Short mmCIF file of all heavy atoms in Angstrom, two decimals:
data_model
loop_
_atom_site.label_atom_id
_atom_site.label_comp_id
_atom_site.label_asym_id
_atom_site.label_seq_id
_atom_site.Cartn_x
_atom_site.Cartn_y
_atom_site.Cartn_z
N MET A 1 -4.49 30.07 39.41
CA MET A 1 -4.81 30.85 38.21
C MET A 1 -3.89 32.27 38.43
O MET A 1 -4.05 32.85 39.50
CB MET A 1 -6.40 31.25 38.29
CG MET A 1 -6.77 32.17 37.07
SD MET A 1 -8.50 32.05 36.75
CE MET A 1 -8.87 33.81 37.14
N LEU A 2 -3.43 32.78 37.32
CA LEU A 2 -2.58 34.00 37.35
C LEU A 2 -3.58 35.21 36.97
O LEU A 2 -4.21 35.12 35.99
CB LEU A 2 -1.38 33.89 36.42
CG LEU A 2 -0.53 34.98 36.31
CD1 LEU A 2 0.08 35.20 37.66
CD2 LEU A 2 0.50 34.80 35.20
N LEU A 3 -3.43 36.09 37.87
CA LEU A 3 -4.31 37.34 37.63
C LEU A 3 -3.45 38.50 37.14
O LEU A 3 -2.51 38.83 37.88
CB LEU A 3 -5.01 37.64 39.01
CG LEU A 3 -6.02 38.80 38.90
CD1 LEU A 3 -7.20 38.44 37.95
CD2 LEU A 3 -6.55 39.18 40.22
N VAL A 4 -3.89 39.15 36.17
CA VAL A 4 -3.03 40.23 35.53
C VAL A 4 -3.84 41.53 35.76
O VAL A 4 -4.96 41.54 35.46
CB VAL A 4 -2.83 40.14 34.06
CG1 VAL A 4 -2.01 41.19 33.60
CG2 VAL A 4 -2.02 38.73 33.72
N LEU A 5 -3.21 42.44 36.45
CA LEU A 5 -3.85 43.69 36.91
C LEU A 5 -3.75 44.63 35.74
O LEU A 5 -2.85 44.62 34.90
CB LEU A 5 -3.26 44.25 38.15
CG LEU A 5 -3.26 43.44 39.36
CD1 LEU A 5 -2.56 43.99 40.60
CD2 LEU A 5 -4.80 43.06 39.74
N PRO A 6 -4.70 45.54 35.59
CA PRO A 6 -4.73 46.49 34.54
C PRO A 6 -3.47 47.37 34.33
O PRO A 6 -3.08 47.58 33.30
CB PRO A 6 -5.96 47.45 34.76
CG PRO A 6 -6.85 46.52 35.58
CD PRO A 6 -5.98 45.67 36.43
N HIS A 7 -2.82 47.73 35.51
CA HIS A 7 -1.68 48.60 35.38
C HIS A 7 -0.48 47.71 34.83
O HIS A 7 0.46 48.25 34.21
CB HIS A 7 -1.33 49.29 36.68
CG HIS A 7 -0.86 48.32 37.75
ND1 HIS A 7 -1.75 47.55 38.63
CD2 HIS A 7 0.35 48.11 38.20
CE1 HIS A 7 -1.04 46.84 39.36
NE2 HIS A 7 0.28 47.02 39.17
N GLN A 8 -0.47 46.48 35.11
CA GLN A 8 0.51 45.70 34.60
C GLN A 8 0.30 45.55 33.16
O GLN A 8 1.32 45.55 32.24
CB GLN A 8 0.54 44.21 35.28
CG GLN A 8 0.82 44.30 36.70
CD GLN A 8 0.57 42.82 37.43
OE1 GLN A 8 -0.43 42.23 37.01
NE2 GLN A 8 1.47 42.44 38.12
N LEU A 9 -0.88 45.48 32.61
CA LEU A 9 -1.17 45.35 31.19
C LEU A 9 -0.64 46.63 30.49
O LEU A 9 0.01 46.65 29.49
CB LEU A 9 -2.58 45.09 30.88
CG LEU A 9 -3.16 43.72 31.13
CD1 LEU A 9 -4.60 43.67 30.96
CD2 LEU A 9 -2.39 42.73 30.15
N LEU A 10 -0.99 47.65 31.14
CA LEU A 10 -0.60 49.04 30.76
C LEU A 10 0.91 49.18 30.53
O LEU A 10 1.49 49.61 29.52
CB LEU A 10 -1.15 50.19 31.49
CG LEU A 10 -1.06 51.49 30.96
CD1 LEU A 10 -1.53 51.71 29.65
CD2 LEU A 10 -1.58 52.58 32.01
N GLU A 11 1.64 48.84 31.57
CA GLU A 11 3.09 48.81 31.55
C GLU A 11 3.70 47.92 30.48
O GLU A 11 4.71 48.41 29.79
CB GLU A 11 3.68 48.34 33.00
CG GLU A 11 3.55 49.50 34.10
CD GLU A 11 4.01 48.98 35.40
OE1 GLU A 11 4.69 47.94 35.34
OE2 GLU A 11 3.63 49.67 36.38
N SER A 12 3.19 46.78 30.45
CA SER A 12 3.59 45.83 29.33
C SER A 12 3.20 46.47 27.93
O SER A 12 4.20 46.39 27.06
CB SER A 12 2.97 44.46 29.56
OG SER A 12 3.33 43.65 28.41
N SER A 13 2.20 46.88 27.67
CA SER A 13 1.79 47.54 26.46
C SER A 13 2.70 48.78 26.08
O SER A 13 3.09 48.91 25.01
CB SER A 13 0.30 47.93 26.34
OG SER A 13 -0.53 46.81 26.51
N SER A 14 2.91 49.58 27.12
CA SER A 14 3.76 50.69 26.98
C SER A 14 5.18 50.32 26.49
O SER A 14 5.82 50.85 25.76
CB SER A 14 3.73 51.53 28.24
OG SER A 14 4.63 52.66 28.10
N SER A 15 5.73 49.36 27.18
CA SER A 15 7.15 48.90 26.92
C SER A 15 7.18 48.20 25.51
O SER A 15 8.15 48.51 24.79
CB SER A 15 7.75 47.93 27.85
OG SER A 15 6.97 46.69 27.89
N GLU A 16 6.11 47.59 25.16
CA GLU A 16 6.11 46.98 23.83
C GLU A 16 5.96 48.10 22.83
O GLU A 16 6.62 47.98 21.68
CB GLU A 16 4.85 45.93 23.68
CG GLU A 16 5.10 44.64 24.36
CD GLU A 16 3.91 43.68 24.16
OE1 GLU A 16 3.32 43.67 22.94
OE2 GLU A 16 3.50 43.05 25.16
N HIS A 17 5.13 48.96 23.03
CA HIS A 17 4.91 50.15 22.07
C HIS A 17 6.24 50.95 21.83
O HIS A 17 6.64 51.21 20.77
CB HIS A 17 3.92 51.04 22.67
CG HIS A 17 3.56 52.30 21.87
ND1 HIS A 17 4.16 53.46 22.03
CD2 HIS A 17 2.93 52.47 20.73
CE1 HIS A 17 3.87 54.35 21.19
NE2 HIS A 17 2.91 53.66 20.24
N PHE A 18 6.99 51.10 23.07
CA PHE A 18 8.36 51.80 22.94
C PHE A 18 9.26 50.94 22.05
O PHE A 18 9.91 51.49 21.17
CB PHE A 18 8.85 52.00 24.23
CG PHE A 18 10.19 52.58 24.27
CD1 PHE A 18 10.33 53.98 23.99
CD2 PHE A 18 11.36 51.82 24.40
CE1 PHE A 18 11.73 54.44 24.02
CE2 PHE A 18 12.60 52.42 24.38
CZ PHE A 18 12.83 53.74 24.14
N PHE A 19 9.26 49.77 22.27
CA PHE A 19 10.10 48.73 21.46
C PHE A 19 9.77 48.86 19.99
O PHE A 19 10.69 48.90 19.11
CB PHE A 19 10.03 47.33 21.98
CG PHE A 19 10.75 46.33 21.12
CD1 PHE A 19 12.03 46.10 21.30
CD2 PHE A 19 10.05 45.61 20.22
CE1 PHE A 19 12.74 45.38 20.44
CE2 PHE A 19 10.69 44.61 19.43
CZ PHE A 19 12.08 44.44 19.55
N HIS A 20 8.48 48.77 19.73
CA HIS A 20 8.19 48.74 18.19
C HIS A 20 8.26 50.07 17.59
O HIS A 20 8.86 50.21 16.44
CB HIS A 20 6.73 48.33 18.19
CG HIS A 20 6.54 46.87 18.46
ND1 HIS A 20 7.02 45.85 17.72
CD2 HIS A 20 5.80 46.32 19.44
CE1 HIS A 20 6.67 44.70 18.25
NE2 HIS A 20 5.98 44.92 19.38
N CYS A 21 8.13 51.30 18.38
CA CYS A 21 8.48 52.53 17.83
C CYS A 21 9.99 52.60 17.54
O CYS A 21 10.30 53.26 16.53
CB CYS A 21 7.96 53.59 18.76
SG CYS A 21 6.18 53.81 18.85
N THR A 22 10.78 52.25 18.40
CA THR A 22 12.22 52.26 18.25
C THR A 22 12.59 51.31 17.06
O THR A 22 13.35 51.91 16.15
CB THR A 22 12.87 51.68 19.48
OG1 THR A 22 12.53 52.45 20.62
CG2 THR A 22 14.44 51.81 19.37
N ALA A 23 12.02 50.23 16.87
CA ALA A 23 12.34 49.41 15.73
C ALA A 23 11.91 50.22 14.38
O ALA A 23 12.71 50.09 13.43
CB ALA A 23 11.60 48.13 15.94
N VAL A 24 10.77 50.68 14.42
CA VAL A 24 10.28 51.47 13.22
C VAL A 24 11.12 52.63 12.76
O VAL A 24 11.54 52.83 11.70
CB VAL A 24 8.71 51.86 13.38
CG1 VAL A 24 8.37 52.94 12.30
CG2 VAL A 24 7.92 50.68 13.41
N ASP A 25 11.60 53.39 13.88
CA ASP A 25 12.53 54.45 13.69
C ASP A 25 13.86 54.07 13.00
O ASP A 25 14.32 54.63 12.16
CB ASP A 25 12.79 55.35 14.84
CG ASP A 25 11.57 56.04 15.40
OD1 ASP A 25 10.64 56.40 14.52
OD2 ASP A 25 11.48 56.49 16.55
N TYR A 26 14.33 52.90 13.60
CA TYR A 26 15.53 52.26 13.13
C TYR A 26 15.37 51.96 11.65
O TYR A 26 16.23 52.23 10.78
CB TYR A 26 16.02 51.10 13.89
CG TYR A 26 17.16 50.41 13.28
CD1 TYR A 26 18.48 50.81 13.40
CD2 TYR A 26 16.92 49.34 12.45
CE1 TYR A 26 19.50 50.26 12.81
CE2 TYR A 26 18.06 48.52 11.95
CZ TYR A 26 19.30 49.11 12.10
OH TYR A 26 20.37 48.39 11.45
N GLU A 27 14.29 51.32 11.30
CA GLU A 27 14.18 50.78 9.99
C GLU A 27 13.95 52.00 8.98
O GLU A 27 14.44 52.06 7.84
CB GLU A 27 12.83 49.95 9.90
CG GLU A 27 12.97 48.63 10.45
CD GLU A 27 14.10 47.70 9.72
OE1 GLU A 27 14.26 47.79 8.56
OE2 GLU A 27 14.73 46.99 10.50
N LYS A 28 13.28 53.01 9.32
CA LYS A 28 13.07 54.33 8.50
C LYS A 28 14.41 54.87 8.28
O LYS A 28 14.70 55.18 7.04
CB LYS A 28 12.24 55.37 9.36
CG LYS A 28 10.78 55.12 9.25
CD LYS A 28 10.13 56.29 10.02
CE LYS A 28 8.61 56.04 10.02
NZ LYS A 28 7.96 57.10 10.78
N LYS A 29 15.32 54.97 9.15
CA LYS A 29 16.67 55.64 9.12
C LYS A 29 17.53 54.69 8.22
O LYS A 29 18.13 55.12 7.31
CB LYS A 29 17.31 55.78 10.36
CG LYS A 29 16.80 56.89 11.24
CD LYS A 29 17.48 56.94 12.56
CE LYS A 29 16.70 57.94 13.56
NZ LYS A 29 17.31 58.06 14.86
N ARG A 30 17.38 53.41 8.40
CA ARG A 30 18.15 52.42 7.51
C ARG A 30 17.62 52.59 6.02
O ARG A 30 18.59 52.57 5.16
CB ARG A 30 17.95 51.11 8.14
CG ARG A 30 18.87 49.97 7.34
CD ARG A 30 20.25 50.23 7.62
NE ARG A 30 21.01 49.25 6.80
CZ ARG A 30 22.05 49.48 6.17
NH1 ARG A 30 22.53 50.74 6.08
NH2 ARG A 30 22.70 48.50 5.40
N ASN A 31 16.38 52.65 5.83
CA ASN A 31 15.81 52.69 4.54
C ASN A 31 16.29 54.06 3.70
O ASN A 31 16.74 53.99 2.67
CB ASN A 31 14.37 52.72 4.50
CG ASN A 31 13.85 51.21 4.75
OD1 ASN A 31 14.53 50.31 4.61
ND2 ASN A 31 12.56 51.08 5.14
N ILE A 32 16.43 55.14 4.63
CA ILE A 32 16.93 56.37 4.10
C ILE A 32 18.28 56.21 3.58
O ILE A 32 18.86 56.61 2.48
CB ILE A 32 16.70 57.49 5.12
CG1 ILE A 32 15.22 57.82 5.10
CG2 ILE A 32 17.54 58.82 4.54
CD1 ILE A 32 14.86 58.81 6.35
N GLU A 33 19.15 55.52 4.52
CA GLU A 33 20.60 55.41 4.18
C GLU A 33 20.73 54.46 2.91
O GLU A 33 21.52 54.78 2.13
CB GLU A 33 21.24 54.67 5.40
CG GLU A 33 21.41 55.60 6.55
CD GLU A 33 21.95 54.75 7.80
OE1 GLU A 33 22.13 53.44 7.78
OE2 GLU A 33 22.13 55.37 8.87
N LEU A 34 19.95 53.42 2.86
CA LEU A 34 20.05 52.50 1.74
C LEU A 34 19.57 53.32 0.38
O LEU A 34 20.15 52.99 -0.55
CB LEU A 34 19.11 51.32 1.87
CG LEU A 34 19.72 50.21 3.02
CD1 LEU A 34 18.60 49.18 3.24
CD2 LEU A 34 21.05 49.71 2.57
N MET A 35 18.62 54.11 0.39
CA MET A 35 18.11 54.84 -0.55
C MET A 35 19.28 55.86 -1.11
O MET A 35 19.55 55.94 -2.35
CB MET A 35 16.81 55.72 -0.37
CG MET A 35 16.27 56.43 -1.52
SD MET A 35 14.99 57.58 -1.12
CE MET A 35 15.79 58.69 -0.01
N GLU A 36 19.84 56.48 -0.18
CA GLU A 36 21.02 57.39 -0.46
C GLU A 36 22.10 56.70 -1.11
O GLU A 36 22.67 57.15 -2.10
CB GLU A 36 21.44 58.26 0.76
CG GLU A 36 20.42 59.20 1.21
CD GLU A 36 20.74 59.85 2.52
OE1 GLU A 36 21.59 59.41 3.25
OE2 GLU A 36 20.02 60.81 2.96
N GLN A 37 22.40 55.50 -0.67
CA GLN A 37 23.50 54.63 -1.12
C GLN A 37 23.19 54.22 -2.62
O GLN A 37 23.92 54.29 -3.42
CB GLN A 37 23.78 53.53 -0.15
CG GLN A 37 24.91 52.57 -0.74
CD GLN A 37 25.05 51.47 0.18
OE1 GLN A 37 24.21 51.03 1.07
NE2 GLN A 37 26.23 50.71 -0.05
N ARG A 38 21.98 53.92 -2.72
CA ARG A 38 21.51 53.40 -4.13
C ARG A 38 21.65 54.53 -5.09
O ARG A 38 22.06 54.41 -6.24
CB ARG A 38 20.16 52.92 -4.04
CG ARG A 38 19.59 52.32 -5.45
CD ARG A 38 18.11 52.09 -5.47
NE ARG A 38 17.35 53.29 -5.22
CZ ARG A 38 17.05 54.20 -6.08
NH1 ARG A 38 17.52 54.18 -7.32
NH2 ARG A 38 16.35 55.28 -5.76
N GLN A 39 21.15 55.76 -4.76
CA GLN A 39 21.32 56.99 -5.62
C GLN A 39 22.63 57.26 -5.94
O GLN A 39 22.94 57.62 -7.08
CB GLN A 39 20.58 58.11 -4.91
CG GLN A 39 19.07 57.91 -4.82
CD GLN A 39 18.45 59.10 -4.08
OE1 GLN A 39 19.00 59.67 -3.27
NE2 GLN A 39 17.15 59.33 -4.22
N ALA A 40 23.58 57.13 -4.95
CA ALA A 40 24.99 57.38 -5.35
C ALA A 40 25.58 56.41 -6.26
O ALA A 40 26.32 56.68 -7.16
CB ALA A 40 25.77 57.49 -3.93
N MET A 41 25.23 55.06 -5.99
CA MET A 41 25.69 54.01 -6.88
C MET A 41 25.10 54.33 -8.34
O MET A 41 25.82 54.06 -9.32
CB MET A 41 25.25 52.67 -6.47
CG MET A 41 26.00 52.34 -5.14
SD MET A 41 25.30 50.79 -4.43
CE MET A 41 25.71 49.54 -5.73
N GLU A 42 23.98 54.67 -8.40
CA GLU A 42 23.21 55.02 -9.70
C GLU A 42 23.95 56.11 -10.37
O GLU A 42 24.21 56.04 -11.63
CB GLU A 42 21.71 55.28 -9.53
CG GLU A 42 20.90 55.38 -10.83
CD GLU A 42 19.56 55.73 -10.59
OE1 GLU A 42 18.94 55.36 -9.46
OE2 GLU A 42 18.78 56.26 -11.58
N LYS A 43 24.31 57.08 -9.76
CA LYS A 43 25.03 58.31 -10.31
C LYS A 43 26.38 57.76 -10.78
O LYS A 43 26.78 58.21 -11.97
CB LYS A 43 25.15 59.34 -9.19
CG LYS A 43 25.72 60.66 -9.64
CD LYS A 43 25.70 61.65 -8.51
CE LYS A 43 26.23 62.99 -8.93
NZ LYS A 43 26.29 64.01 -7.93
N ASN A 44 27.07 56.97 -9.94
CA ASN A 44 28.42 56.49 -10.47
C ASN A 44 28.19 55.62 -11.65
O ASN A 44 29.13 55.71 -12.67
CB ASN A 44 28.96 55.66 -9.31
CG ASN A 44 29.55 56.38 -8.23
OD1 ASN A 44 29.82 57.65 -8.32
ND2 ASN A 44 29.70 55.93 -7.15
N LEU A 45 27.20 54.85 -11.79
CA LEU A 45 26.98 54.01 -12.90
C LEU A 45 26.70 54.85 -14.15
O LEU A 45 27.15 54.53 -15.20
CB LEU A 45 25.82 52.97 -12.59
CG LEU A 45 25.39 52.04 -13.73
CD1 LEU A 45 26.56 51.04 -13.86
CD2 LEU A 45 24.19 51.23 -13.24
N VAL A 46 25.92 55.83 -14.03
CA VAL A 46 25.65 56.78 -15.18
C VAL A 46 26.99 57.39 -15.69
O VAL A 46 27.16 57.47 -16.78
CB VAL A 46 24.61 57.75 -14.88
CG1 VAL A 46 24.50 58.98 -15.79
CG2 VAL A 46 23.24 57.18 -14.59
N SER A 47 27.80 57.76 -14.70
CA SER A 47 29.13 58.39 -14.97
C SER A 47 29.99 57.40 -15.77
O SER A 47 30.60 57.78 -16.66
CB SER A 47 29.86 58.82 -13.82
OG SER A 47 29.10 59.94 -13.30
N MET A 48 29.97 56.10 -15.38
CA MET A 48 30.79 55.20 -15.98
C MET A 48 30.23 54.79 -17.40
O MET A 48 31.03 54.59 -18.31
CB MET A 48 30.80 53.84 -15.10
CG MET A 48 31.59 53.92 -13.95
SD MET A 48 31.86 52.33 -13.11
CE MET A 48 30.33 52.11 -12.31
N ALA A 49 28.96 54.77 -17.51
CA ALA A 49 28.40 54.58 -18.90
C ALA A 49 28.72 55.68 -19.76
O ALA A 49 29.09 55.38 -20.86
CB ALA A 49 26.90 54.48 -18.83
N ARG A 50 28.71 56.90 -19.39
CA ARG A 50 29.22 57.98 -20.14
C ARG A 50 30.71 57.93 -20.64
O ARG A 50 31.02 58.10 -21.72
CB ARG A 50 28.91 59.30 -19.43
CG ARG A 50 27.53 59.78 -19.43
CD ARG A 50 27.52 61.21 -18.89
NE ARG A 50 26.08 61.56 -18.66
CZ ARG A 50 25.58 62.13 -17.60
NH1 ARG A 50 26.29 62.21 -16.57
NH2 ARG A 50 24.33 62.38 -17.44
N GLU A 51 31.46 57.51 -19.68
CA GLU A 51 32.87 57.24 -19.96
C GLU A 51 33.15 56.17 -20.95
O GLU A 51 33.95 56.23 -21.89
CB GLU A 51 33.63 57.04 -18.52
CG GLU A 51 35.18 56.91 -18.78
CD GLU A 51 35.77 58.10 -19.14
OE1 GLU A 51 35.24 59.30 -18.83
OE2 GLU A 51 36.89 58.18 -19.73
N VAL A 52 32.43 55.04 -20.80
CA VAL A 52 32.41 53.96 -21.82
C VAL A 52 32.04 54.45 -23.16
O VAL A 52 32.64 54.14 -24.20
CB VAL A 52 31.47 52.79 -21.34
CG1 VAL A 52 31.41 51.79 -22.46
CG2 VAL A 52 32.12 52.14 -20.09
N GLU A 53 30.95 55.20 -23.28
CA GLU A 53 30.66 55.79 -24.60
C GLU A 53 31.75 56.73 -25.23
O GLU A 53 31.93 56.60 -26.47
CB GLU A 53 29.26 56.71 -24.45
CG GLU A 53 27.94 55.74 -24.16
CD GLU A 53 26.72 56.59 -23.97
OE1 GLU A 53 26.93 57.90 -24.05
OE2 GLU A 53 25.71 56.01 -23.66
N LYS A 54 32.30 57.53 -24.43
CA LYS A 54 33.40 58.35 -24.98
C LYS A 54 34.58 57.38 -25.45
O LYS A 54 35.17 57.69 -26.46
CB LYS A 54 33.87 59.28 -23.76
CG LYS A 54 33.04 60.42 -23.36
CD LYS A 54 33.73 61.19 -22.36
CE LYS A 54 32.80 62.24 -21.75
NZ LYS A 54 33.30 62.93 -20.67
N LEU A 55 34.84 56.46 -24.56
CA LEU A 55 36.05 55.53 -25.06
C LEU A 55 35.65 54.66 -26.35
O LEU A 55 36.54 54.57 -27.20
CB LEU A 55 36.40 54.63 -23.94
CG LEU A 55 37.07 55.26 -22.67
CD1 LEU A 55 37.09 54.22 -21.50
CD2 LEU A 55 38.29 55.81 -22.93
N CYS A 56 34.39 54.38 -26.42
CA CYS A 56 34.04 53.65 -27.65
C CYS A 56 34.14 54.66 -28.88
O CYS A 56 34.51 54.13 -29.95
CB CYS A 56 32.58 53.18 -27.56
SG CYS A 56 32.44 51.74 -26.50
N ALA A 57 33.65 55.83 -28.70
CA ALA A 57 33.74 56.84 -29.78
C ALA A 57 35.33 56.99 -30.17
O ALA A 57 35.57 57.04 -31.33
CB ALA A 57 33.11 58.12 -29.33
N GLU A 58 36.07 57.31 -29.13
CA GLU A 58 37.52 57.34 -29.41
C GLU A 58 38.05 56.23 -30.20
O GLU A 58 38.91 56.32 -31.12
CB GLU A 58 38.24 57.64 -28.10
CG GLU A 58 38.04 59.00 -27.49
CD GLU A 58 38.81 59.22 -26.25
OE1 GLU A 58 39.87 58.60 -25.95
OE2 GLU A 58 38.38 60.10 -25.36
N LEU A 59 37.63 54.93 -29.72
CA LEU A 59 38.14 53.76 -30.40
C LEU A 59 37.78 53.64 -31.78
O LEU A 59 38.57 53.29 -32.68
CB LEU A 59 37.75 52.47 -29.58
CG LEU A 59 38.25 51.19 -30.12
CD1 LEU A 59 39.73 51.17 -30.21
CD2 LEU A 59 37.66 50.00 -29.22
N ALA A 60 36.61 54.02 -32.03
CA ALA A 60 35.99 53.93 -33.45
C ALA A 60 36.69 55.04 -34.36
O ALA A 60 37.08 54.71 -35.47
CB ALA A 60 34.41 54.26 -33.34
N ILE A 61 37.01 56.14 -33.81
CA ILE A 61 37.81 57.18 -34.53
C ILE A 61 39.23 56.62 -34.77
O ILE A 61 39.81 56.65 -36.05
CB ILE A 61 37.76 58.52 -33.78
CG1 ILE A 61 36.44 59.19 -33.65
CG2 ILE A 61 38.75 59.46 -34.44
CD1 ILE A 61 36.29 60.38 -32.90
N PHE A 62 39.86 56.11 -33.88
CA PHE A 62 41.10 55.51 -34.06
C PHE A 62 41.19 54.48 -35.03
O PHE A 62 42.13 54.54 -35.90
CB PHE A 62 41.74 54.98 -32.68
CG PHE A 62 42.99 54.34 -32.72
CD1 PHE A 62 44.11 55.13 -32.85
CD2 PHE A 62 43.02 52.94 -32.70
CE1 PHE A 62 45.36 54.49 -32.89
CE2 PHE A 62 44.40 52.35 -32.91
CZ PHE A 62 45.47 53.12 -32.94
N ILE A 63 40.24 53.47 -34.91
CA ILE A 63 40.15 52.37 -35.99
C ILE A 63 39.82 53.09 -37.35
O ILE A 63 40.74 52.55 -38.35
CB ILE A 63 39.08 51.40 -35.58
CG1 ILE A 63 39.49 50.66 -34.33
CG2 ILE A 63 38.83 50.47 -36.69
CD1 ILE A 63 38.37 49.87 -33.78
N TYR A 64 39.12 53.99 -37.40
CA TYR A 64 38.81 54.59 -38.73
C TYR A 64 40.09 55.31 -39.43
O TYR A 64 40.43 55.12 -40.49
CB TYR A 64 37.59 55.55 -38.71
CG TYR A 64 37.39 56.34 -39.96
CD1 TYR A 64 36.69 55.71 -40.93
CD2 TYR A 64 37.86 57.64 -40.06
CE1 TYR A 64 36.42 56.36 -42.21
CE2 TYR A 64 37.58 58.32 -41.39
CZ TYR A 64 36.93 57.66 -42.35
OH TYR A 64 36.57 58.35 -43.55
N LEU A 65 40.76 55.94 -38.51
CA LEU A 65 42.03 56.59 -38.99
C LEU A 65 43.15 55.86 -39.27
O LEU A 65 44.03 56.15 -40.08
CB LEU A 65 42.34 57.82 -37.88
CG LEU A 65 41.42 58.88 -37.75
CD1 LEU A 65 41.93 59.89 -36.52
CD2 LEU A 65 41.13 59.69 -38.95
N THR A 66 43.25 54.67 -38.65
CA THR A 66 44.35 53.74 -38.97
C THR A 66 44.13 52.76 -40.04
O THR A 66 45.01 51.89 -40.26
CB THR A 66 44.76 52.99 -37.58
OG1 THR A 66 43.58 52.27 -37.12
CG2 THR A 66 45.13 53.95 -36.57
N GLN A 67 43.05 52.75 -40.71
CA GLN A 67 42.73 51.85 -41.78
C GLN A 67 43.22 52.40 -43.15
O GLN A 67 43.36 53.42 -43.40
CB GLN A 67 41.20 51.49 -41.92
CG GLN A 67 40.69 50.72 -40.76
CD GLN A 67 39.25 50.36 -40.97
OE1 GLN A 67 38.47 51.01 -41.82
NE2 GLN A 67 38.81 49.28 -40.24
#
């Protein structure tokens, strides 16, 4: 029979705790990076939509004037 001493359990729990805390910190940082990337992409998409609206308006004016 294998006997596990309390200090061995404590050391094991401590290292597991450190591992999980490190993993959680990494995930938090990664989520922040992904959120910032998404926000930048959304901003670019809004800018492109505005540009498309301007081009559509210019095209409509051009078509109207050339008829």
Side-chain angles (χ1 to χ4, degrees):
M1 184 168 115
L2 182 63
L3 184 63
V4 179
L5 300 175
H7 70 278
Q8 290 172 323
L9 286 174
L10 184 59
E11 286 177 15
S12 175
S13 295
S14 179
S15 64
E16 283 184 40
H17 180 262
F18 177 76
F19 172 79
H20 291 296
C21 285
T22 304
V24 167
D25 287 343
Y26 171 80
E27 291 296 327
K28 283 181 183 178
K29 289 176 186 174
R30 184 68 182 133
N31 285 339
I32 291 170
E33 291 170 359
L34 289 173
M35 182 187 66
E36 290 170 350
Q37 183 181 12
R38 184 194 57 81
Q39 288 173 340
M41 290 173 65
E42 185 177 342
K43 190 175 181 180
N44 289 338
L45 185 59
V46 169
S47 295
M48 288 189 287
R50 285 188 186 127
E51 187 65 25
V52 167
E53 288 176 2
K54 287 180 190 177
L55 292 171
C56 286
E58 288 178 23
L59 181 60
I61 292 169
F62 176 77
I63 291 171
Y64 176 77
L65 292 177
T66 58
Q67 287 182 347

